[in-house]
Amino acid sequence: MSRQISLTQYLIEQQREHGHIPQELRLLIEIVARACKRIAIAVNKGALGDVLGTAGSENVQGEVQKKLDIIANEVLIEANEWGGHLAAMASEEMDGIYVVPNRYPQGEYLLLFDPLDGSSNIDVNVSIGTIFSVLRKVGHSRGVAEEDFLQPGKQQAAAGYCVYGPQSMLVLTVGDGVAVFTLDRETGSWVLTQEQVRIPEDTKEFAINMSNMRHWAPPVKRYIDECLAGSTGPRGRDFNMRWVASMVADVHRILTRGGVFLYPWDQREPDKPGKLRLMYEANPMAFIVEQAGGAAVNGSERIMNLQPSKLHERVAVALGSKNEVERIAAYHREAAQK
């Protein structure tokens, strides 16, 4: 691009010329982006900043927290609580919602986030990220409760993620396509580097944790078996497999060159519909992927149509190139009819 466009300029143009976002939402996204910049700096310091290793605590899901999980969570809360654009926040790292304190003005938006996705990769210097989702508070009552957050993903006003890798990148949608910004470390600005990202409808690449194969449901095993059979199998072409174990990194690759990402239900915990969190991970990623021309399902249903019943609800996920995701959904529907 001959003329560098900052995130602020991009958002102002979205607000002024296209009417896609109100001013309050624009300012909220800018604050989240500034918080992600602070997290990127902490991630880059690594051992020099004493941010590696575990914190000796567990989150609400019983997972061991890394030091950076807690730091990222605190950065996002501190950055957003005073801006006047939010009524409350919810985080994968907190049991309940965080209501904006009375000493600050309350806004009409709700912010949900996974402060540091892929934290198992922190200590081995592999790409990790922050995922966020913005909802409008339904109703005009002064109070805010957990129920206000329980909206299907199709109600999202905005969603995005930051990936902290060789470059720090911010991927954003406000419901009119997907834009990518790269952090210019010399100026401290998020600079627009790609607009209207499109995921190819077809692909020869899939991402799944193959070590769990024996635990999968038949439709998932059927799909992967067909991919592995390659050019001599029913698909008639060879597939490659990728797996980073960081949803942000895997989804970013799919946005860049296509592919399909699966984190399916498995029989080790049959009562849980999946591993990933609907509100903090699946919904925002589904919004981004759909806005880029892809698809996202929990097996047979569109993820963004699902009605959450609790804040930390889990869900199975298959997302990415549209035709492959539709094939996976068709296999699930066929299995359900048997």
PDB file of all heavy atoms in Angstrom, residues 6 11 32 50 73 90 113 122 126 141 144 158 187 191 196 198 211 221 224 262 283 315 332:
ATOM      1  N   SER A   6      -3.739   3.993   9.407  1.00  0.00           N
ATOM      2  CA  SER A   6      -3.724   3.499  10.778  1.00  0.00           C
ATOM      3  C   SER A   6      -5.075   2.897  11.144  1.00  0.00           C
ATOM      4  O   SER A   6      -6.089   3.134  10.473  1.00  0.00           O
ATOM      5  CB  SER A   6      -3.394   4.633  11.751  1.00  0.00           C
ATOM      6  OG  SER A   6      -4.477   5.555  11.794  1.00  0.00           O
ATOM      7  N   LEU A  11     -10.987   3.038  11.237  1.00  0.00           N
ATOM      8  CA  LEU A  11     -12.236   3.001  11.996  1.00  0.00           C
ATOM      9  C   LEU A  11     -13.047   4.276  11.816  1.00  0.00           C
ATOM     10  O   LEU A  11     -14.278   4.238  11.719  1.00  0.00           O
ATOM     11  CB  LEU A  11     -11.943   2.762  13.479  1.00  0.00           C
ATOM     12  CG  LEU A  11     -11.412   1.368  13.834  1.00  0.00           C
ATOM     13  CD1 LEU A  11     -10.983   1.320  15.297  1.00  0.00           C
ATOM     14  CD2 LEU A  11     -12.456   0.283  13.556  1.00  0.00           C
ATOM     15  N   VAL A  32      -9.097  -1.614  23.068  1.00  0.00           N
ATOM     16  CA  VAL A  32      -8.702  -3.029  23.037  1.00  0.00           C
ATOM     17  C   VAL A  32      -7.390  -3.187  22.272  1.00  0.00           C
ATOM     18  O   VAL A  32      -6.491  -3.919  22.692  1.00  0.00           O
ATOM     19  CB  VAL A  32      -9.816  -3.898  22.410  1.00  0.00           C
ATOM     20  CG1 VAL A  32      -9.334  -5.333  22.206  1.00  0.00           C
ATOM     21  CG2 VAL A  32     -11.071  -3.890  23.283  1.00  0.00           C
ATOM     22  N   ASP A  50      10.377 -11.442  33.108  1.00  0.00           N
ATOM     23  CA  ASP A  50       9.918 -12.365  34.158  1.00  0.00           C
ATOM     24  C   ASP A  50       8.440 -12.708  33.984  1.00  0.00           C
ATOM     25  O   ASP A  50       7.668 -12.694  34.939  1.00  0.00           O
ATOM     26  CB  ASP A  50      10.178 -11.768  35.544  1.00  0.00           C
ATOM     27  CG  ASP A  50       9.979 -12.800  36.663  1.00  0.00           C
ATOM     28  OD1 ASP A  50      10.194 -14.003  36.395  1.00  0.00           O
ATOM     29  OD2 ASP A  50       9.600 -12.411  37.779  1.00  0.00           O
ATOM     30  N   ASN A  73      -4.931 -10.652  31.208  1.00  0.00           N
ATOM     31  CA  ASN A  73      -6.279 -10.418  31.718  1.00  0.00           C
ATOM     32  C   ASN A  73      -6.355  -9.066  32.434  1.00  0.00           C
ATOM     33  O   ASN A  73      -7.288  -8.277  32.214  1.00  0.00           O
ATOM     34  CB  ASN A  73      -6.667 -11.541  32.678  1.00  0.00           C
ATOM     35  CG  ASN A  73      -8.144 -11.581  32.982  1.00  0.00           C
ATOM     36  OD1 ASN A  73      -8.958 -11.846  32.112  1.00  0.00           O
ATOM     37  ND2 ASN A  73      -8.502 -11.300  34.224  1.00  0.00           N
ATOM     38  N   ALA A  90     -16.344  -9.956  30.398  1.00  0.00           N
ATOM     39  CA  ALA A  90     -16.259 -11.364  30.797  1.00  0.00           C
ATOM     40  C   ALA A  90     -14.999 -11.939  30.180  1.00  0.00           C
ATOM     41  O   ALA A  90     -14.659 -11.637  29.038  1.00  0.00           O
ATOM     42  CB  ALA A  90     -17.487 -12.143  30.334  1.00  0.00           C
ATOM     43  N   PHE A 113     -13.454 -11.784  26.292  1.00  0.00           N
ATOM     44  CA  PHE A 113     -12.137 -12.056  25.727  1.00  0.00           C
ATOM     45  C   PHE A 113     -11.492 -13.300  26.326  1.00  0.00           C
ATOM     46  O   PHE A 113     -11.761 -13.687  27.459  1.00  0.00           O
ATOM     47  CB  PHE A 113     -11.200 -10.855  25.899  1.00  0.00           C
ATOM     48  CG  PHE A 113     -11.164 -10.258  27.278  1.00  0.00           C
ATOM     49  CD1 PHE A 113     -10.384 -10.796  28.281  1.00  0.00           C
ATOM     50  CD2 PHE A 113     -11.917  -9.124  27.572  1.00  0.00           C
ATOM     51  CE1 PHE A 113     -10.333 -10.234  29.546  1.00  0.00           C
ATOM     52  CE2 PHE A 113     -11.893  -8.548  28.840  1.00  0.00           C
ATOM     53  CZ  PHE A 113     -11.097  -9.107  29.832  1.00  0.00           C
ATOM     54  N   ILE A 122       3.448 -20.533  25.306  1.00  0.00           N
ATOM     55  CA  ILE A 122       4.186 -19.340  25.746  1.00  0.00           C
ATOM     56  C   ILE A 122       5.661 -19.643  25.940  1.00  0.00           C
ATOM     57  O   ILE A 122       6.534 -18.943  25.411  1.00  0.00           O
ATOM     58  CB  ILE A 122       3.584 -18.790  27.061  1.00  0.00           C
ATOM     59  CG1 ILE A 122       2.192 -18.190  26.808  1.00  0.00           C
ATOM     60  CG2 ILE A 122       4.509 -17.737  27.663  1.00  0.00           C
ATOM     61  CD1 ILE A 122       1.457 -17.841  28.101  1.00  0.00           C
ATOM     62  N   VAL A 126       6.192 -20.034  20.594  1.00  0.00           N
ATOM     63  CA  VAL A 126       5.333 -20.272  19.431  1.00  0.00           C
ATOM     64  C   VAL A 126       4.195 -19.252  19.478  1.00  0.00           C
ATOM     65  O   VAL A 126       3.806 -18.794  20.558  1.00  0.00           O
ATOM     66  CB  VAL A 126       4.792 -21.717  19.442  1.00  0.00           C
ATOM     67  CG1 VAL A 126       3.749 -21.928  18.359  1.00  0.00           C
ATOM     68  CG2 VAL A 126       5.948 -22.707  19.251  1.00  0.00           C
ATOM     69  N   SER A 141     -32.102  -1.251  31.192  1.00  0.00           N
ATOM     70  CA  SER A 141     -32.074  -1.235  32.655  1.00  0.00           C
ATOM     71  C   SER A 141     -30.661  -0.910  33.121  1.00  0.00           C
ATOM     72  O   SER A 141     -29.683  -1.233  32.456  1.00  0.00           O
ATOM     73  CB  SER A 141     -32.527  -2.590  33.208  1.00  0.00           C
ATOM     74  OG  SER A 141     -31.669  -3.608  32.735  1.00  0.00           O
ATOM     75  N   VAL A 144     -26.486  -4.727  35.174  1.00  0.00           N
ATOM     76  CA  VAL A 144     -26.008  -5.677  34.178  1.00  0.00           C
ATOM     77  C   VAL A 144     -25.758  -7.003  34.879  1.00  0.00           C
ATOM     78  O   VAL A 144     -25.267  -7.041  36.004  1.00  0.00           O
ATOM     79  CB  VAL A 144     -24.728  -5.158  33.471  1.00  0.00           C
ATOM     80  CG1 VAL A 144     -23.610  -4.923  34.458  1.00  0.00           C
ATOM     81  CG2 VAL A 144     -24.279  -6.111  32.377  1.00  0.00           C
ATOM     82  N   ALA A 158     -18.803  -6.606  16.936  1.00  0.00           N
ATOM     83  CA  ALA A 158     -17.431  -6.645  16.413  1.00  0.00           C
ATOM     84  C   ALA A 158     -16.727  -7.845  17.015  1.00  0.00           C
ATOM     85  O   ALA A 158     -17.141  -8.369  18.053  1.00  0.00           O
ATOM     86  CB  ALA A 158     -16.674  -5.365  16.761  1.00  0.00           C
ATOM     87  N   THR A 187       6.779   3.110  15.262  1.00  0.00           N
ATOM     88  CA  THR A 187       5.836   4.208  15.512  1.00  0.00           C
ATOM     89  C   THR A 187       4.808   3.854  16.582  1.00  0.00           C
ATOM     90  O   THR A 187       4.122   4.735  17.102  1.00  0.00           O
ATOM     91  CB  THR A 187       5.082   4.572  14.219  1.00  0.00           C
ATOM     92  OG1 THR A 187       4.276   3.444  13.802  1.00  0.00           O
ATOM     93  CG2 THR A 187       6.049   4.936  13.101  1.00  0.00           C
ATOM     94  N   VAL A 191      -1.077  -0.634  11.632  1.00  0.00           N
ATOM     95  CA  VAL A 191      -1.163  -0.153  10.249  1.00  0.00           C
ATOM     96  C   VAL A 191      -1.905  -1.179   9.397  1.00  0.00           C
ATOM     97  O   VAL A 191      -1.610  -2.379   9.439  1.00  0.00           O
ATOM     98  CB  VAL A 191       0.250   0.100   9.665  1.00  0.00           C
ATOM     99  CG1 VAL A 191       0.152   0.566   8.214  1.00  0.00           C
ATOM    100  CG2 VAL A 191       0.993   1.127  10.510  1.00  0.00           C
ATOM    101  N   GLN A 196     -10.555  -6.768   3.192  1.00  0.00           N
ATOM    102  CA  GLN A 196     -11.459  -7.719   2.534  1.00  0.00           C
ATOM    103  C   GLN A 196     -10.783  -9.076   2.314  1.00  0.00           C
ATOM    104  O   GLN A 196     -10.724  -9.602   1.195  1.00  0.00           O
ATOM    105  CB  GLN A 196     -11.974  -7.139   1.203  1.00  0.00           C
ATOM    106  CG  GLN A 196     -12.799  -5.870   1.358  1.00  0.00           C
ATOM    107  CD  GLN A 196     -14.045  -6.084   2.217  1.00  0.00           C
ATOM    108  OE1 GLN A 196     -14.665  -7.149   2.197  1.00  0.00           O
ATOM    109  NE2 GLN A 196     -14.423  -5.061   2.980  1.00  0.00           N
ATOM    110  N   ARG A 198     -10.236 -12.913   2.050  1.00  0.00           N
ATOM    111  CA  ARG A 198     -11.139 -13.980   1.595  1.00  0.00           C
ATOM    112  C   ARG A 198     -10.457 -15.333   1.792  1.00  0.00           C
ATOM    113  O   ARG A 198      -9.291 -15.528   1.417  1.00  0.00           O
ATOM    114  CB  ARG A 198     -11.497 -13.836   0.114  1.00  0.00           C
ATOM    115  CG  ARG A 198     -12.134 -12.525  -0.263  1.00  0.00           C
ATOM    116  CD  ARG A 198     -13.412 -12.259   0.509  1.00  0.00           C
ATOM    117  NE  ARG A 198     -14.492 -13.175   0.161  1.00  0.00           N
ATOM    118  CZ  ARG A 198     -15.676 -13.206   0.793  1.00  0.00           C
ATOM    119  NH1 ARG A 198     -15.892 -12.403   1.827  1.00  0.00           N
ATOM    120  NH2 ARG A 198     -16.614 -14.053   0.427  1.00  0.00           N
ATOM    121  N   SER A 211      -3.604 -37.029  17.746  1.00  0.00           N
ATOM    122  CA  SER A 211      -3.399 -37.965  18.851  1.00  0.00           C
ATOM    123  C   SER A 211      -4.714 -38.371  19.518  1.00  0.00           C
ATOM    124  O   SER A 211      -4.757 -39.363  20.247  1.00  0.00           O
ATOM    125  CB  SER A 211      -2.459 -37.351  19.894  1.00  0.00           C
ATOM    126  OG  SER A 211      -3.069 -36.256  20.548  1.00  0.00           O
ATOM    127  N   LYS A 221     -14.075 -38.885  12.217  1.00  0.00           N
ATOM    128  CA  LYS A 221     -13.112 -39.907  11.794  1.00  0.00           C
ATOM    129  C   LYS A 221     -13.248 -40.197  10.294  1.00  0.00           C
ATOM    130  O   LYS A 221     -12.251 -40.352   9.586  1.00  0.00           O
ATOM    131  CB  LYS A 221     -13.316 -41.186  12.598  1.00  0.00           C
ATOM    132  CG  LYS A 221     -12.144 -42.152  12.506  1.00  0.00           C
ATOM    133  CD  LYS A 221     -12.181 -43.192  13.585  1.00  0.00           C
ATOM    134  CE  LYS A 221     -10.899 -44.033  13.589  1.00  0.00           C
ATOM    135  NZ  LYS A 221     -10.524 -44.568  12.293  1.00  0.00           N
ATOM    136  N   ILE A 224     -11.568 -37.250   8.344  1.00  0.00           N
ATOM    137  CA  ILE A 224     -10.103 -37.281   8.409  1.00  0.00           C
ATOM    138  C   ILE A 224      -9.552 -38.498   7.665  1.00  0.00           C
ATOM    139  O   ILE A 224      -8.530 -38.409   6.963  1.00  0.00           O
ATOM    140  CB  ILE A 224      -9.616 -37.254   9.867  1.00  0.00           C
ATOM    141  CG1 ILE A 224     -10.058 -35.959  10.554  1.00  0.00           C
ATOM    142  CG2 ILE A 224      -8.101 -37.413   9.935  1.00  0.00           C
ATOM    143  CD1 ILE A 224      -9.524 -34.681   9.928  1.00  0.00           C
ATOM    144  N   LEU A 262     -10.345 -28.145  13.072  1.00  0.00           N
ATOM    145  CA  LEU A 262     -11.318 -28.947  13.817  1.00  0.00           C
ATOM    146  C   LEU A 262     -10.862 -29.138  15.254  1.00  0.00           C
ATOM    147  O   LEU A 262      -9.706 -29.505  15.510  1.00  0.00           O
ATOM    148  CB  LEU A 262     -11.506 -30.331  13.181  1.00  0.00           C
ATOM    149  CG  LEU A 262     -12.055 -30.391  11.765  1.00  0.00           C
ATOM    150  CD1 LEU A 262     -10.908 -30.575  10.765  1.00  0.00           C
ATOM    151  CD2 LEU A 262     -13.046 -31.541  11.619  1.00  0.00           C
ATOM    152  N   ASN A 283     -17.344 -18.101  19.006  1.00  0.00           N
ATOM    153  CA  ASN A 283     -18.166 -17.049  18.396  1.00  0.00           C
ATOM    154  C   ASN A 283     -17.338 -15.984  17.676  1.00  0.00           C
ATOM    155  O   ASN A 283     -17.618 -15.677  16.509  1.00  0.00           O
ATOM    156  CB  ASN A 283     -19.074 -16.403  19.441  1.00  0.00           C
ATOM    157  CG  ASN A 283     -20.408 -17.121  19.576  1.00  0.00           C
ATOM    158  OD1 ASN A 283     -20.818 -17.857  18.686  1.00  0.00           O
ATOM    159  ND2 ASN A 283     -21.088 -16.902  20.677  1.00  0.00           N
ATOM    160  N   VAL A 315     -17.988 -25.881  23.279  1.00  0.00           N
ATOM    161  CA  VAL A 315     -18.593 -26.244  22.002  1.00  0.00           C
ATOM    162  C   VAL A 315     -17.546 -26.934  21.123  1.00  0.00           C
ATOM    163  O   VAL A 315     -16.351 -26.659  21.231  1.00  0.00           O
ATOM    164  CB  VAL A 315     -19.149 -24.970  21.301  1.00  0.00           C
ATOM    165  CG1 VAL A 315     -18.012 -24.044  20.878  1.00  0.00           C
ATOM    166  CG2 VAL A 315     -20.038 -25.311  20.114  1.00  0.00           C
ATOM    167  N   HIS A 332     -22.015 -35.099   9.641  1.00  0.00           N
ATOM    168  CA  HIS A 332     -22.682 -35.133  10.949  1.00  0.00           C
ATOM    169  C   HIS A 332     -24.186 -35.330  10.802  1.00  0.00           C
ATOM    170  O   HIS A 332     -24.798 -36.080  11.573  1.00  0.00           O
ATOM    171  CB  HIS A 332     -22.395 -33.846  11.737  1.00  0.00           C
ATOM    172  CG  HIS A 332     -21.062 -33.836  12.424  1.00  0.00           C
ATOM    173  ND1 HIS A 332     -19.875 -33.517  11.786  1.00  0.00           N
ATOM    174  CD2 HIS A 332     -20.722 -34.155  13.711  1.00  0.00           C
ATOM    175  CE1 HIS A 332     -18.869 -33.606  12.643  1.00  0.00           C
ATOM    176  NE2 HIS A 332     -19.354 -33.994  13.818  1.00  0.00           N
TER     177      HIS A 332
END
